[in-house]
Amino acid sequence: MIPTISRLALAAFALSASILSGQPALAAVACGSGNFDAWLADFKTDAAAKGISQQAITAGLAGVTLDQSVLNRDRSQKVFSQSFEEFSGRMVPPRLERGSNRMKQYGSVLSRIEQTYGVPGEVLVAIWGLETDFGVNTGKFATIRSLATLAYDCRRSEQFRAELMDALRIVQRGDLAPADMKGAWAGELGQTQFMPSSWMKYAVDFDGNGKRDLLHNAPDVLASTANYLAGYGWQRGKDWQPGSPNFAVLQQWNKSEVYSKTIAYFATQLARAP
């Protein structure tokens, strides 16, 4: 996960436009009203009306409070300004050997994933390494609290309100318990940092153990990431360099061209590694 700016925030305003075009119903208690508890009570009512079970609502939202540190981070984000040379030079060399080792460790899994989704293992391992150091640094923020805070805040309220609903759906489906849902400050979860809406849409149970676990289960993590890229039009057997259709898919993963170019570069280095 890049520390300088949330991956979600790079796409936030484009996403906001598409979400707002759906014209969701206004909450009875407005965002930023000065009464978080009243807003949360109204949200619980709305969640139940949308078919989320009372058990999931209670488990997920009991005791949730506003997290001012999340708001501070959201307001203090710096524009991603590093050059490709600076960013890739900092991020790729320290991860290349570990990435190559992951390619070997999960070789058979990555082969089956490529057969299923068409996405090469090098690309998946590159994303894995850049996002969380191969699952080492997934974040320590309580996901539901972060999302509730950002949904209450008026900057992108409807966007994060929808993500909070999907976080409760993850709980309802049994993928994760609320206490296990810890990640980045803006609500990204798991070893490749999925927003809850992407988790609901693209997470897969690749090892067949009955759960979609993108926090602890590497086959699920890698296959779900491949499913995400395939969902955005990844072309099997084609290049991923800048200018290619598959590079455009990488830009759906991260709107920053520097970040997308670094994924492509890292993947190419992994493909050449012995």
Side-chain angles (χ1 to χ4, degrees):
M1 178 175 56
I2 50 177
T4 50
I5 187 168
S6 163
R7 175 159 62 86
L8 173 73
L10 290 166
F13 296 104
L15 283 172
S16 295
S18 64
I19 290 170
L20 289 172
S21 66
Q23 296 182 338
L26 293 176
V29 179
C31 64
S33 62
N35 191 334
F36 178 78
D37 289 341
W39 176 89
L40 189 63
D42 180 79
F43 179 86
K44 292 176 181 178
T45 300
D46 190 25
K50 287 181 165 60
I52 296 173
S53 70
Q54 196 59 52
Q55 182 178 6
I57 293 168
T58 300
L61 296 175
V64 167
T65 57
L66 189 77
D67 189 341
Q68 186 61 46
S69 70
V70 168
L71 296 179
N72 294 342
R73 285 173 179 258
D74 192 39
R75 284 162 170 71
S76 65
Q77 288 192 93
K78 297 178 181 178
V79 174
F80 190 90
S81 59
Q82 294 178 68
S83 69
F84 164 69
E85 289 75 17
E86 290 169 335
F87 185 66
S88 63
R90 180 168 64 88
M91 298 295 286
V92 174
R95 293 167 175 80
L96 189 55
E97 182 177 355
R98 284 178 290 156
S100 181
N101 289 338
R102 296 303 189 282
M103 291 288 298
K104 296 169 185 173
Q105 181 180 357
Y106 293 101
S108 61
V109 171
L110 291 168
S111 179
R112 288 193 292 115
I113 290 172
E114 184 169 5
Q115 290 172 8
T116 304
Y117 301 103
V119 182
E122 295 89 347
V123 173
L124 303 175
V125 171
I127 291 172
W128 192 19
L130 292 174
E131 290 291 344
T132 65
D133 276 331
F134 312 102
V136 174
N137 300 309
T138 57
K140 296 181 180 179
F141 284 84
T143 299
I144 290 177
R145 186 185 186 198
S146 292
L147 292 172
T149 296
L150 292 166
Y152 172 72
D153 188 46
C154 288
R155 293 184 71 198
R156 287 165 282 160
S157 180
E158 290 304 323
Q159 177 185 351
F160 283 103
R161 190 179 182 91
E163 294 292 347
L164 182 56
M165 289 287 184
D166 278 332
L168 295 180
R169 292 183 179 105
I170 290 170
V171 173
Q172 178 170 277
R173 194 165 68 178
D175 291 356
L176 289 174
D180 294 330
M181 297 175 75
K182 295 184 184 298
W185 66 264
E188 299 100 329
L189 268 170
Q191 295 189 26
T192 54
Q193 301 287 270
F194 271 38
M195 290 303 293
S197 58
S198 294
W199 185 305
M200 287 300 298
K201 189 171 183 179
Y202 297 111
V204 296
D205 172 21
F206 198 70
D207 67 350
N209 72 350
K211 288 190 177 182
R212 303 163 183 84
D213 185 356
L214 310 191
L215 278 173
H216 314 102
N217 187 308
D220 287 2
V221 168
L222 296 167
S224 299
T225 305
N227 191 32
Y228 180 106
L229 296 175
Y232 279 95
W234 187 275
Q235 295 184 18
R236 184 185 296 268
K238 299 293 181 67
D239 195 6
W240 56 74
Q241 296 304 319
S244 69
N246 283 340
F247 183 75
V249 175
L250 292 179
Q251 291 185 293
Q252 295 299 319
W253 179 267
N254 192 306
K255 301 296 182 184
S256 165
E257 184 171 356
V258 167
Y259 196 96
S260 299
K261 285 176 70 174
T262 301
I263 294 173
Y265 171 69
F266 192 2
T268 299
Q269 295 298 106
L270 287 171
R272 293 172 179 169

